Amino acid sequence: MSLLLALLALTASSAAAQPKPLDYEASAAHRQFDFWVGHWEIKNAIGQLAGHNRIEKVQKDCALREYWSSAGGGSGESLNYYHPERVKGTSYGWTPATASSISVVG
């Protein structure tokens, strides 16, 4: 019986220790980068077309997916999201068509 009570107490304390989920849809911090959403034509410093960028909200509007295609034929994607437990608050992962990847925090 005491083992059962100990297990119940342990379960209750671990459940209480878990942080309350953040309401991403209501969080202003998660909306800071929404200005980037849309279809973009990217030009270099002398006005020549460098490529196209399409940014859309994903995952209940809590992350931004980037689709890049360069004028030279290259392409890639990224996933960007705010992470309140990270020092700088944002995470960025880039995967080009060359099968390499980059992950940035901050």
Side-chain angles (χ1 to χ4, degrees), residues 32-103:
Q32 292 180 68
F33 216 35
D34 284 359
F35 68 88
W36 194 26
V37 174
H39 295 264
W40 302 89
E41 185 174 90
I42 312 303
K43 296 186 178 184
N44 64 19
I46 59 173
Q48 297 171 321
L49 180 67
H52 292 92
N53 218 357
R54 178 171 49 102
I55 314 300
E56 60 186 39
K57 293 181 180 186
V58 296
Q59 299 300 321
K60 295 184 179 180
D61 293 345
C62 294
L64 298 177
R65 166 83 60 199
E66 172 191 21
Y67 300 94
W68 164 257
S69 61
S70 76
S75 64
E77 297 181 16
S78 72
L79 183 65
N80 304 267
Y81 59 93
Y82 173 75
H83 195 297
E85 295 167 2
R86 298 248 167 97
V87 174
K88 300 279 183 172
T90 59
S91 291
Y92 171 83
W94 172 258
T95 305
T98 58
S100 59
S101 66
I102 299 169
S103 182

